[in-house]
């Protein structure tokens, strides 16, 4: 499914983490919040120990009901829609002609999902004639009594006239998808002069049935044709190809989009708005980018890698991109990060929209690649139920790795993987579920860091185990055999088994069907020409398995590496590896593919050796991270300084961060190195990290470096400089900082927000108020907290407008992280405004989101 709009807290996670493997202990600098039976227990699963008191881990979920795949009574074959829009009422006026066929058993009734409609008529269409049918409707499902019994060999059509009223539906949603009303009117009356009028849809999970009647389940597949009647000034987009565009006598225009290849109903989409369409092409197929006119010049720099991505994924998977065209559209006020609607991806502005200057600090390739590979995994082959969601999302997540590896190299891909693993481990501290979950409370619960981040890591381990040739051959087999169909996890396993000839139930059982991950402690010693390696799995094995772990261990003797392949199958195991002399380094999981919390006993000399002989980024960053507490040693200091000159920017950034508050030898030379990096490193991310590190040195004046950085081409570097100047503002920098108040870039807005908390006065009050309307959710989470701190600096009589705005945001903002930021801001003010304590109590009592309720309880 969609690219998740992770909360501000998740987006704030940055290096360094403890290596692949270790859950992140860091958060933001602000206050942060903490049809098939279920699979049988594996033979490899440990048996519960006998004990008088059972300690249940906090991450163990409650026992939820079994969630089977939807029973197929009918197959939806085709859907034709003719729709127009009432902007003022935010209604869709539609006619749906639905072609269906009984799946197997004869049927006398057709039940369609249709949420919140006014149903005007239901008719059977046959031989050009219409026959009125009786029906019952409860505002959720439309139950149609057919005129006779239909067999599975008899397709038939029903035509439904209806009005969809999405705003009258109850609120819903999840972390990944913040609402569930399917059809969204943006600025429908045009009252907001800073926002265009738009219409767009969001189908996953069951939002399509909020705007047209269908069987809204992922194991259905249909072709479709959608005719949209709109005002002449608007562009339209839907799945498939635009086959006609006709001007009407009333000044409107009717565009008809047809998709001739079948897909699941949740992948249907519409978008309407004043767009510039920037054209590209690939293998004769249209590749188009829909952006607001003022962003037209930025469309190619932003999306221009798409044709190369299409080529890369088509060749890598051995299946050419299957759909008629590929379009991407950026919409306002989107409720998720992005969504892989078939041949027509929707992006929100928050994750993807960047101008040329913003692209200096990083592109949007990850989200673009994520949604594009979904066209194969999710659209071409679709998980049959939400229990099997990782068959869509794990592959989309791993598609990001594959693109990074191809385009930017293995180091860049491993850095991406490092961050993904950390996101999973952070979630695993409070939640551990099987990837394939046949039990859940709500289907929206599936859209988490297990289905996405852990799933991607598991696919990487599978690739490492079977090898590249077998991995991609198996994926080709899986896609080819199951094209245009719904699948479950067993079908992926069988594809790999048929290619490799190996029974892989052990791998799929422990990684897909059981919860958790290994927690591994490793120690080694040398004697009598052998390295003795002791491996202990320390995870709770009452609720998690003892894992089978094929791992590469590398020993280095005389600067020559020897790889040893071992397989761990027990909770505690000892291995002996031949070595004619004591190795300078013994490295467990040396290719760094294992998803585990890993603790290795290594001496300082071994870690230094590991850095200089590392064969991948993750080995280097592990050495840097573990050596950080030992920088008082000259050899360790030399490692850090050497790392500042590494060819990969990720290593240089990690080193710059590791030198924060450095008190080791040659301190002056180290700080000079950091000054050089802050001013001249070719990566803006490294320059920004070096500025942040310099700002942590007390009694040192780097005002000249910071002031110079205020003119940097990078917003990220400018933001780091503003933040650095927060505690030590200079007269030269003050007017330059004030001149940045009109900047809308999140890095600048966040930095100014922090700066004004310590250096602001009443003059910045209106600036903060303006940001509450303009900033994105991730920025608002911090800014609202800063605003609370800032208002302590101004007279209480001036605070009224802001307090009302913050209270409204804490109560009603659709983003839970924004509500939390506003709550924190009010809570800060309550320290000298006791009357706010009653307001905060009322906000807590009326909050419905379980995540916030838990956080609020912790804050009491």
């Amino acid at each position: 499914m969609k690219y998740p709009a992770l909360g501000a807290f998740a987006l704030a996670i940055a290096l360094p983490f403890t290596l692949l493997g270790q859950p992140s202990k860091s958060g933001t600098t602000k206050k942060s919040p903490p049809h098939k039976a279920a699979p049988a227990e594996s033979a490899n699963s440990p048996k519960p120990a006998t004990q008088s008191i059972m300690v249940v881990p906090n991450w163990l979920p409650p026992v939820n009901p079994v969630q089977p795949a939807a029973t197929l009574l009918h197959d939806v074959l085709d859907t034709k829609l003719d729709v127009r829009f009432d902007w003022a009422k935010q209604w869709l006026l539609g006619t749906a002609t639905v072609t269906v066929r009984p799946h197997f058993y004869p049927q006398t009734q057709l039940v369609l999902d249709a949420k919140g409609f006014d149903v005007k008529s239901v008719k059977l269409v046959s031989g050009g004639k219409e026959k009125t049918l009786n029906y019952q409707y409860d505002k959720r499902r439309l139950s149609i009594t057919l005129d006779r019994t239909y067999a599975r060999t008899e397709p038939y059509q029903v035509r439904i006239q209806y009005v969809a009223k999405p705003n009258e539906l109850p609120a819903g949603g999840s972390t990944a998808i913040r609402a569930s009303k399917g059809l969204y009117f943006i600025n429908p009356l045009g009252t907001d002069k800073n926002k265009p009028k738009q219409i767009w849809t969001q189908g996953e999970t069951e939002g399509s049935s909020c705007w047209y009647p269908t069987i809204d389940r992922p194991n259905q597949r249909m072709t479709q044709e959608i005719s949209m009647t709109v005002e002449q000034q608007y562009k339209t987009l839907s799945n498939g190809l635009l086959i006609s565009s006709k001007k009407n006598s009333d000044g409107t225009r009717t565009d008809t989009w047809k998709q001739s290849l079948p897909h699941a109903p949740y992948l249907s989409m519409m978008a309407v708005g004043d767009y510039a369409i920037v054209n590209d092409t690939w293998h004769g197929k249209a590749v188009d980018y829909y952006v607001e006119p003022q962003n037209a010049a930025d469309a190619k720099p932003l999306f221009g890698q798409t044709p190369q991505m299409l080529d890369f994924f088509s060749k890598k998977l051995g299946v050419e991109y299957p759909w008629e065209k590929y379009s991407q559209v950026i919409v306002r006020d989107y409720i998720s990060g992005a969504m892989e609607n078939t041949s027509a991806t929707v992006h929100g502005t928050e994750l993807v929209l960047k101008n040329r200057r913003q692209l200096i600090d990083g592109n949007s390739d990850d989200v673009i690649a994520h949604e594009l590979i979904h066209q194969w995994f999710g659209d071409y082959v679709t998980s049959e139920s939400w229990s099997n969601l990782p068959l869509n999302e794990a592959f989309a997540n791993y598609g990001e790795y594959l693109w990074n590896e191809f385009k930017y190299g293995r180091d860049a891909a491993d850095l991406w993987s490092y961050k993904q693993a950390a996101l999973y481990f952070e979630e695993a501290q409070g939640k551990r579920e099987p990837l394939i979950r046949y039990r859940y409370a709500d289907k929206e619960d599936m859209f988490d860091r297990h289905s996405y981040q852990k799933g991607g890591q598991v696919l990487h381990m599978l690739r490492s185990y079977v090898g590249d040739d077998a991995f991609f051959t198996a994926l080709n087999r899986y896609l080819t055999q199951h094209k245009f169909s719904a699948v479950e996890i067993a079908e992926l396993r069988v594809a790999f088994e048929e290619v490799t000839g190996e029974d892989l139930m052990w791998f799929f059982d422990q990684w897909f069907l059981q919860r958790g991950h290994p927690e591994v402690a490793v120690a080694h010693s040398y004697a009598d020409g052998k390295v003795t390696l002791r491996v202990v799995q320390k995870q709770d094995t009452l609720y998690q398995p003892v894992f089978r772990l094929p791992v590469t261990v590398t020993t280095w003797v005389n600067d020559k590496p020897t790889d040893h392949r071992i397989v761990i199958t027990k909770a505690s195991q000892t291995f002996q590896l031949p070595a004619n002399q004591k190795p300078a380094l013994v490295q467990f999981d040396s290719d760094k593919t294992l998803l585990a919390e890993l603790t290795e006993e290594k001496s300082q000399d071994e870690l230094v050796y590991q850095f200089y002989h590392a064969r991948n980024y993750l080995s280097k960053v592990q050495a840097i991270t573990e050596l950080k507490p030992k920088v008082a040693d000259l050899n360790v200091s030399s490692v850090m300084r050497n790392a500042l000159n590494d060819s990969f920017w990720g290593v240089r950034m990690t080193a710059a961060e590791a030198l924060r508050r450095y008190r080791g030898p040659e301190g002056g030379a180290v700080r000079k190195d950091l000054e050089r990096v802050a001013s001249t490193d070719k990566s803006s991310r490294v320059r920004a990290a070096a500025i942040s590190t310099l700002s942590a040195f007390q009694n040192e004046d780097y005002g000249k470096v910071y002031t110079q950085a205020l003119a940097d081409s990078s917003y990220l570097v400018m933001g780091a400089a503003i933040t650095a100047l927060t505690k030590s503002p200079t007269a030269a920098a003050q007017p330059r900082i004030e001149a940045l108040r009109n900047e809308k870039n999140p890095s600048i807005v966040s930095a100014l927000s922090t700066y004004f908390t310590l250096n602001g006065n009443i003059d910045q009050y209106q600036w903060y108020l303006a940001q509450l309307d303009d900033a994105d959710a991730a920025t608002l989470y911090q800014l609202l907290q800063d605003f609370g701190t800032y208002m302590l600096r101004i007279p209480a009589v001036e605070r009224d407008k802001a307090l009302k705005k913050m209270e409204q945001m804490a109560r009603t903002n659709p983003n839970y992280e924004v509500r939390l930021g506003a709550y924190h801001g009010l809570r800060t003010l309550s320290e000298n405004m006791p009357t706010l304590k009653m307001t905060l109590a009322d906000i807590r009592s009326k909050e419905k989101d379980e995540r916030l309720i838990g956080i609020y309880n912790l804050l009491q």
Side-chain angles (χ1 to χ4, degrees):
M1 156 192 151
K2 53 207 94 29
Y3 198 87
L6 297 172
F9 345 111
L11 292 172
I13 292 177
L15 294 174
F17 302 117
T18 334
L19 186 70
L20 232 205
Q22 302 284 335
S24 169
K25 299 295 192 292
S26 62
T28 67
T29 57
K30 303 293 175 184
K31 309 176 184 82
S32 52
H35 139 106
K36 297 169 183 65
E41 187 176 25
S42 165
N44 196 37
S45 301
K47 298 298 184 278
T50 302
Q51 46 188 331
S52 56
I53 299 176
M54 182 181 295
V55 178
V56 178
N58 70 303
W59 45 256
L60 188 68
V63 177
N64 288 308
V66 174
Q67 304 286 357
T71 299
L72 296 172
L73 299 178
H74 276 93
D75 297 329
V76 180
L77 303 179
D78 181 72
T79 299
K80 288 182 173 62
L81 302 177
D82 188 350
V83 304
R84 61 180 62 233
F85 307 98
D86 185 327
W87 290 83
K89 295 178 179 177
Q90 301 182 53
W91 292 355
L92 176 150
L93 290 73
T95 300
T97 303
V98 184
T99 304
V100 297
R101 178 178 57 204
H103 180 74
F104 185 84
Y105 298 106
Q107 299 295 325
T108 59
Q109 183 185 61
L110 171 64
V111 179
L112 299 175
D113 297 294
K115 303 184 183 79
F117 293 178
D118 283 349
V119 178
K120 303 300 184 181
S121 66
V122 178
K123 297 180 180 181
L124 181 75
V125 181
S126 178
K129 297 180 179 180
E130 295 184 349
K131 178 179 182 181
T132 299
L133 297 175
N134 294 324
Y135 65 89
Q136 292 183 329
Y137 182 50
D138 63 0
K139 289 294 184 179
R140 302 292 294 177
R141 289 183 176 83
L142 179 63
S143 300
I144 303 169
T145 302
L146 302 175
D147 61 330
R148 62 179 177 85
T149 300
Y150 286 81
R152 64 179 182 272
T153 57
E154 297 180 289
Y156 61 92
Q157 284 186 335
V158 292
R159 181 167 293 153
I160 302 156
Q161 286 188 312
Y162 65 98
V163 177
K165 301 179 177 181
N167 286 354
E168 297 179 16
L169 292 168
S174 65
T175 304
I177 322 149
R178 295 186 293 267
S180 59
K181 61 183 184 179
L183 176 65
Y184 298 82
F185 290 78
I186 306 304
N187 193 25
L189 302 180
T191 53
D192 187 341
K193 302 306 177 185
N194 296 316
K195 185 179 294 184
K197 293 174 64 175
Q198 293 180 351
I199 297 171
W200 47 262
T201 61
Q202 169 58 43
E204 194 170 34
T205 49
E206 295 180 8
S208 290
S209 52
C210 297
W211 57 278
Y212 72 92
T214 188
I215 301 176
D216 206 353
R217 300 295 183 271
N219 56 356
Q220 291 285 343
R221 294 192 86 85
M222 65 183 193
T223 54
Q224 70 177 48
E225 184 177 304
I226 300 179
S227 296
M228 286 177 270
T229 298
V230 298
E231 290 85 346
Q232 287 281 3
Q233 71 266 33
Y234 295 126
K235 304 292 195 306
T236 68
L237 176 64
S238 188
N239 316 91
L241 297 176
L242 179 63
I243 61 171
S244 72
S245 184
K246 183 182 72 173
K247 292 184 179 180
N248 303 315
S249 58
D250 62 357
T252 62
R253 188 185 76 253
T254 299
D255 290 349
T256 299
W257 294 82
K258 182 175 182 178
Q259 179 163 297
S260 58
L261 300 171
H263 70 161
Y266 77 86
L267 296 166
S268 299
M269 69 82 66
M270 299 185 300
V272 177
D274 180 13
Y275 288 110
I277 305 174
V278 179
N279 306 118
D280 222 328
T281 186
W282 178 81
H283 287 200
K285 294 183 178 183
V287 177
D288 296 327
Y289 317 128
Y290 287 62
V291 296
E292 292 175 29
Q294 70 271 20
N295 298 321
D298 298 316
K300 277 285 184 77
L302 179 63
F303 291 118
Q305 302 276 22
T306 303
Q308 189 179 20
M309 289 183 185
L310 283 162
D311 203 58
F312 167 68
F313 286 130
S314 293
K315 291 177 179 176
K316 199 73 174 174
L317 300 171
V319 176
E320 184 158 309
Y321 175 76
W323 309 103
E324 295 104 324
K325 62 104 169 49
Y326 189 59
S327 297
Q328 296 173 85
V329 58
I330 300 178
V331 304
R332 292 289 190 104
D333 298 347
Y334 194 45
I335 57 168
S336 185
M339 178 64 203
E340 68 278 8
N341 309 297
T342 309
S343 80
T345 286
V346 172
H347 294 282
T349 57
E350 186 173 313
L351 284 182
V352 75
L353 183 59
K354 295 177 181 178
N355 58 36
R356 292 170 189 261
R357 187 174 180 185
Q358 288 172 303
L359 288 170
I360 293 172
D361 296 326
N363 56 44
S364 299
D365 280 15
D366 287 352
V367 62
I368 294 170
H370 181 110
E371 301 309 325
L372 180 53
I373 199 172
H374 258 314
Q375 301 295 317
W376 287 266
F377 297 98
D379 298 6
Y380 191 58
V381 176
T382 309
S383 60
E384 69 166 13
S385 65
W386 302 118
S387 294
N388 284 273
L389 181 67
L391 291 175
N392 297 357
E393 293 304 338
F395 279 107
N397 180 272
Y398 195 53
E400 299 176 48
Y401 181 94
L402 294 175
W403 173 252
N404 274 288
E405 182 183 40
F406 165 75
K407 185 66 176 178
Y408 305 109
R410 170 73 186 275
D411 284 348
D414 283 350
L415 171 55
W416 173 91
S417 181
Y418 190 19
K419 294 179 179 180
Q420 299 298 301
L423 287 169
Y424 160 68
F425 282 123
E426 183 182 62
E427 182 174 82
Q429 292 180 58
K431 173 183 181 178
R432 297 189 191 182
E433 294 269 22
L435 281 181
I436 305 300
R437 271 166 271 174
Y438 294 104
R439 292 180 180 272
Y440 54 77
D442 189 291
K443 58 188 178 299
E444 304 296 339
D445 297 342
M446 291 296 301
F447 295 91
D448 59 10
R449 299 182 196 176
H450 286 61
S451 293
Y452 289 73
Q453 282 81 12
K454 182 182 180 181
Q457 298 295 305
V458 169
L459 291 175
H460 191 51
M461 287 189 293
L462 180 58
R463 175 187 173 188
S464 176
Y465 178 72
V466 303
D468 274 22
D469 190 12
F471 183 78
F472 291 107
T473 300
L475 293 188
N476 175 269
R477 186 180 188 89
Y478 169 75
L479 290 169
T480 302
Q481 289 185 336
H482 303 293
K483 62 183 179 181
F484 304 118
S485 68
V487 292
E488 60 176 324
I489 188 62
E491 285 154 321
L492 180 67
R493 174 179 57 80
V494 169
F496 273 88
E497 291 179 342
E498 289 175 343
V499 167
T500 63
E502 179 182 350
D503 186 333
L504 291 170
M505 188 62 202
W506 65 269
F507 184 96
F508 280 77
D509 176 63
Q510 69 181 14
W511 288 115
F512 285 97
L513 300 177
Q514 298 201 54
R515 64 172 59 89
H517 56 266
E519 300 170 20
V520 181
V522 180
H524 67 269
S525 58
Y526 177 79
D528 301 325
K530 294 178 181 178
V531 172
T532 299
L533 189 75
R534 293 172 295 280
V535 183
V536 179
Q537 295 191 48
K538 301 174 67 176
Q539 69 271 14
D540 181 327
T541 56
L542 185 61
Y543 300 103
Q544 301 171 108
V546 172
F547 286 82
R548 177 180 174 181
L549 304 174
V551 174
T552 298
V553 180
T554 302
T555 55
W556 291 79
V557 177
N558 294 327
D559 288 344
K560 293 182 179 179
T562 301
D563 292 336
H564 308 267
R565 193 70 171 168
I566 65 172
V567 180
I568 302 157
T569 58
K570 301 176 182 178
S572 180
Q573 209 161 352
T574 300
F575 300 87
Q576 291 191 327
L577 313 175
N580 56 20
Q581 65 184 66
K582 183 178 181 180
L585 174 66
V586 177
Q587 189 175 16
F588 183 86
D589 185 33
S590 54
D591 53 5
K592 297 301 173 192
T593 58
L594 184 63
L595 182 67
E597 295 185 61
L598 176 61
T599 305
E600 289 185 84
E601 292 183 7
K602 287 182 183 174
S603 67
Q604 176 178 306
D605 288 343
E606 286 178 299
L607 289 168
V608 170
Y609 189 94
Q610 176 174 315
F611 174 81
Y612 288 116
H613 294 81
R615 296 187 289 186
N616 51 59
Y617 160 78
L618 293 172
S619 293
K620 284 187 178 181
V621 78
Q622 179 188 36
I624 293 171
T625 302
E626 295 189 22
L627 286 169
K628 181 180 176 181
K630 305 174 182 179
V631 290
D633 184 274
L634 183 59
N635 289 331
V636 174
S637 173
S638 296
V639 165
M640 301 300 178
R641 297 181 65 184
N642 184 286
L644 288 175
N645 297 302
D646 195 88
S647 60
F648 179 50
W649 67 266
V651 173
R652 301 197 303 275
M653 185 177 71
T654 302
E657 292 169 338
L659 288 168
R660 192 174 181 87
R661 298 189 180 90
Y662 176 82
R663 291 191 179 90
E666 301 182 340
V670 169
R671 291 190 289 275
K672 284 288 185 184
D673 285 345
L674 286 167
E675 282 190 76
R676 169 185 57 79
V677 170
S679 300
T680 65
D681 195 280
K682 59 186 178 181
S683 167
S684 61
R685 286 170 282 199
V686 179
R687 297 198 301 277
I691 288 172
S692 179
T693 293
L694 286 173
S695 70
F697 289 112
Q698 296 181 355
N699 305 317
E700 298 284 346
D701 182 8
Y702 297 106
K704 184 177 179 181
V705 174
Y706 307 150
T707 303
Q708 178 185 345
L710 292 176
D712 199 281
S713 59
S714 158
Y715 284 122
L716 191 63
V717 173
M718 291 172 64
I722 295 168
T723 302
L725 287 161
T726 297
K727 292 184 179 180
S728 53
T730 65
Q734 184 66 29
R736 300 179 71 168
I737 291 175
E738 286 291 331
L740 296 172
R741 284 170 56 172
N742 291 328
E743 287 282 358
K744 301 299 183 184
N745 180 267
S747 295
I748 304 302
V749 172
S750 294
L752 288 175
S753 176
T754 300
Y755 182 86
F756 292 145
T757 59
L758 294 182
N759 302 287
N761 53 47
I762 192 65
D763 293 341
Q764 287 82 39
Y765 184 65
Q766 293 301 321
W767 178 86
Y768 274 106
L769 286 174
Q771 303 313 310
L772 298 187
D773 293 325
D774 296 341
D776 60 45
T779 304
L780 281 171
Y781 172 68
Q782 173 198 323
L783 187 137
L784 285 159
Q785 297 176 69
D786 286 340
F787 199 10
T789 303
Y790 162 83
M791 280 193 285
L792 294 174
R793 301 174 58 85
I794 66 174
V797 69
E798 303 286 350
R799 302 173 187 170
D800 187 56
K801 186 175 182 179
L803 288 173
K804 290 179 179 177
K805 182 73 173 177
M806 290 175 71
E807 180 182 346
Q808 179 189 22
M809 295 177 80
R811 293 182 184 277
T812 65
N813 193 278
N815 294 282
Y816 85 101
E817 60 265 41
V818 175
R819 297 203 300 280
L820 179 60
Y823 181 90
H824 278 312
L826 292 171
R827 189 166 178 260
T828 296
L829 283 166
S830 71
E831 295 171 7
N832 73 349
M833 297 181 69
T835 55
L836 283 178
K837 294 185 184 298
M838 292 181 63
T839 301
L840 290 168
D842 189 59
I843 291 170
R844 290 194 302 271
S845 69
K846 294 177 179 176
E847 179 57 59
K848 304 299 183 184
D849 191 301
E850 293 294 336
R851 295 164 296 186
L852 288 185
I853 292 170
I855 294 167
Y856 292 160
N857 288 337
L858 289 173
L859 293 174
Q860 292 305 297

